[in-house]
Amino acid sequence: MTLLHIETSTKNCSVGISRNGEMLCLCEEYDDNYGHSEKLHQFVNWALEGAEISLKDIDGVCVSKGPGSYTGLRIGVSAAKGFCFGLNIPLYSLTSLEILAESQIDKGFDLIIPMIDARRMEVYTAVFDGNGNQLSEIEAKILDETSFQEFADKKIVFVGDGVEKSKSILNLPNAEFILDVHPSAQFMIHLAEAKVLQNLQEDVAYFEPFYLKEFVAGVKKA
């Protein structure tokens, strides 16, 4: 099974190609300006070249459905659906938080708490155990000094771009804070393989990103 992986939920535009659970090629770049629309298809082409295959060799596409950047998710999901329609191949999806949690499994932590910045003091988050099993629903959580105090006796790792603002206010002595890890195609491979084995395909025609919160357009600054 050869899979194309697309992750665009944050400022990291990430594309990977795997075969039978092994990464063949990874192309990604972290961009503060969210240049996903210009880079995504170029990264797909580079990944195909690096893997020494063509689009017709792709058996399925796995895309990050969010939550995260509204624009980034629309770009990634639209591309994934286009590939699936054009090639007549199945679509699989993962949440951005389970992808982020995958980066920290089996590292000796009791709990993994990924955080994606949702602006101000709010983050998209959920709680996972040390093996990556999701223990709570995904939520948009406003952080304060009482957040996650019920886990004060646990060895916790917080990971993602929402960690920077949480580190200064969370009083958790057994916690580690990892800021420089982002949702990436490299963390999608094993999760995607599990979806394939369970035949958990999405309906390509009706699949939409998981925004969690409704989009509210702001006024463009002068």
Side-chain angles (χ1 to χ4, degrees), residues 34 70 116-124 165 213 216:
Y34 285 103
Y70 294 103
I116 292 177
D117 190 8
R119 301 190 179 179
R120 299 185 178 87
M121 290 310 296
E122 193 170 31
V123 294
Y124 300 123
K165 59 189 176 187
K213 296 196 304 180
V216 179

Side-chain angles (χ1 to χ4, degrees), residues 113 115 148 156-160 163 166 170 172 175-178:
I113 303 181
M115 290 182 171
F148 305 109
I156 308 171
V157 59
F158 293 93
V159 60
V163 168
S166 70
L170 295 182
L172 295 164
E176 290 190 31
F177 298 85
I178 300 177

Side-chain angles (χ1 to χ4, degrees), residues 66-68 70 95-98 112-119 121-128 134-144 146-151 158 162 165 170 210-214:
Y70 294 103
T95 71
S96 51
L97 293 174
E98 65 181 319
I112 303 167
I113 303 181
M115 290 182 171
I116 292 177
D117 190 8
R119 301 190 179 179
M121 290 310 296
E122 193 170 31
V123 294
Y124 300 123
T125 190
V127 179
F128 296 77
Q134 189 170 330
L135 304 178
S136 71
E137 295 295 322
I138 294 175
E139 62 176 325
K141 186 177 185 68
I142 298 175
L143 299 174
D144 60 34
T146 68
S147 299
F148 305 109
Q149 284 299 311
E150 66 270 30
F151 306 128
F158 293 93
K165 59 189 176 187
L170 295 182
F210 173 46
Y211 295 121
L212 188 59
K213 296 196 304 180
E214 290 188 7

Side-chain angles (χ1 to χ4, degrees), residues 15 17 43 47 54 116 194 208:
V15 173
I17 293 176
F43 286 4
S54 65
I116 292 177
E208 294 183 353

Side-chain angles (χ1 to χ4, degrees), residues 28-222:
E28 62 182 359
E29 183 177 55
Y30 186 88
D31 183 357
D32 283 324
N33 295 318
Y34 285 103
H36 299 358
S37 60
E38 295 84 10
K39 296 175 182 176
L40 179 59
H41 287 280
Q42 182 65 67
F43 286 4
V44 171
N45 289 333
W46 286 346
L48 290 168
E49 291 176 7
E52 299 182 340
I53 63 173
S54 65
L55 268 178
K56 65 179 178 58
D57 297 313
I58 299 295
D59 299 309
V61 179
C62 185
V63 67
S64 172
K65 64 181 178 180
S69 160
Y70 294 103
T71 302
L73 291 171
R74 285 198 297 272
I75 291 168
V77 168
S78 295
K81 292 176 68 172
F83 287 128
C84 290
F85 271 124
L87 298 169
N88 193 28
I89 56 177
L91 175 67
Y92 306 92
S93 74
L94 300 167
T95 71
S96 51
L97 293 174
E98 65 181 319
I99 294 168
L100 199 47
E102 180 76 4
S103 71
Q104 303 301 313
I105 64 170
D106 299 328
K107 293 188 177 181
F109 298 107
D110 297 320
L111 298 174
I112 303 167
I113 303 181
M115 290 182 171
I116 292 177
D117 190 8
R119 301 190 179 179
R120 299 185 178 87
M121 290 310 296
E122 193 170 31
V123 294
Y124 300 123
T125 190
V127 179
F128 296 77
D129 68 18
N131 297 315
N133 299 305
Q134 189 170 330
L135 304 178
S136 71
E137 295 295 322
I138 294 175
E139 62 176 325
K141 186 177 185 68
I142 298 175
L143 299 174
D144 60 34
E145 61 276 5
T146 68
S147 299
F148 305 109
Q149 284 299 311
E150 66 270 30
F151 306 128
D153 61 335
K154 303 291 186 181
K155 186 177 181 182
I156 308 171
V157 59
F158 293 93
V159 60
D161 64 6
V163 168
E164 185 172 2
K165 59 189 176 187
S166 70
K167 186 175 181 180
S168 61
I169 63 172
L170 295 182
N171 183 26
L172 295 164
N174 298 318
E176 290 190 31
F177 298 85
I178 300 177
L179 285 70
D180 58 351
V181 175
H182 311 285
S184 167
Q186 65 183 304
F187 307 130
M188 297 174 70
I189 297 174
H190 299 299
L191 296 169
E193 289 285 326
K195 289 291 183 87
V196 172
L197 289 173
Q198 298 173 67
N199 197 31
L200 296 176
Q201 301 180 22
E202 301 291 350
D203 186 321
V204 179
Y206 295 101
F207 179 74
E208 294 183 353
F210 173 46
Y211 295 121
L212 188 59
K213 296 196 304 180
E214 290 188 7
F215 174 72
V216 179
V219 178
K220 185 177 181 179
K221 294 181 181 180

